[in-house]
Amino acid sequence: MPAPDDQKQRRGETLEGDVRTVALREFRALPIVAGFSDQEFVVLGESVSLVSFRAGAIVLKHGEVATSCGVLVRGKLISRRLDPRGKELTLSVLGPGCIFGELALFTGGVSTADVVAEERSVVAEIPERCFRRLLATNSSFS
């Protein structure tokens, strides 16, 4: 388990107040939630954490137990892992609207890659219970 300071550094900064309001508007404009009614989006907005990560910060660590998934609201993330020889491989480059970490929720497992902020980024973290409810009740999300 990472040291508390390491965990805090990796965690990012939870957005609040006006900054959160602006990020929620950006989240609302993404195609992944375009099919949500205003009421459905309000419920989703109350369930998610909006977190800002500085460039270079680890957003999701390989091997962590999945408790949520993320939707990139702003910025750019890189999904990467090490090959058997220890060489770093870029698996994907994620832009706004991309979801990540959901596979581990489906399998009840752990993250299979690191996700790192390539630039300052804002992520909507969706708790597992909320994610499963969205899949079951909103066809635009699945």
Side-chain angles (χ1 to χ4, degrees):
M1 179 172 206
D5 287 339
D6 181 47
Q7 182 67 25
K8 184 177 180 183
Q9 183 179 18
R10 275 194 317 107
R11 179 78 186 104
E13 177 187 348
T14 301
L15 302 179
E16 297 181 16
D18 291 344
V19 177
R20 177 181 167 80
T21 301
V22 169
L24 269 175
R25 283 190 201 120
E26 290 176 59
F27 184 30
R28 179 64 170 129
L30 296 174
I32 194 168
V33 294
F36 284 41
S37 69
D38 289 342
Q39 172 95 22
E40 288 169 323
F41 188 78
V42 167
V43 171
L44 175 61
E46 291 171 350
S47 300
V48 303
S49 294
L50 290 162
V51 183
S52 176
F53 294 91
R54 62 174 171 66
I58 298 172
V59 177
L60 182 64
K61 183 81 174 146
H62 176 260
E64 285 183 338
V65 175
T67 59
S68 64
C69 65
V71 175
L72 182 58
V73 175
R74 179 188 325 142
K76 182 164 81 171
L77 304 176
I78 304 291
S79 173
R80 66 183 188 197
R81 67 176 302 161
L82 299 178
D83 73 9
R85 293 176 298 220
K87 181 181 176 191
E88 187 176 285
L89 300 173
T90 296
L91 302 175
S92 61
V93 177
L94 308 173
C98 289
I99 190 167
F100 62 93
E102 77 284 6
L103 293 179
L105 292 180
F106 288 128
T107 63
V110 298
S111 173
T112 58
D114 288 336
V115 177
V116 179
E118 179 74 3
E119 58 190 44
R120 180 166 289 282
S121 299
V122 174
V123 171
E125 292 183 345
I126 304 171
E128 180 178 11
R129 185 177 67 230
C130 179
F131 177 72
R132 292 190 183 280
R133 187 174 64 245
L134 288 172
L135 288 176
T137 61
N138 195 303
S139 61
S140 69
F141 197 75
S142 22

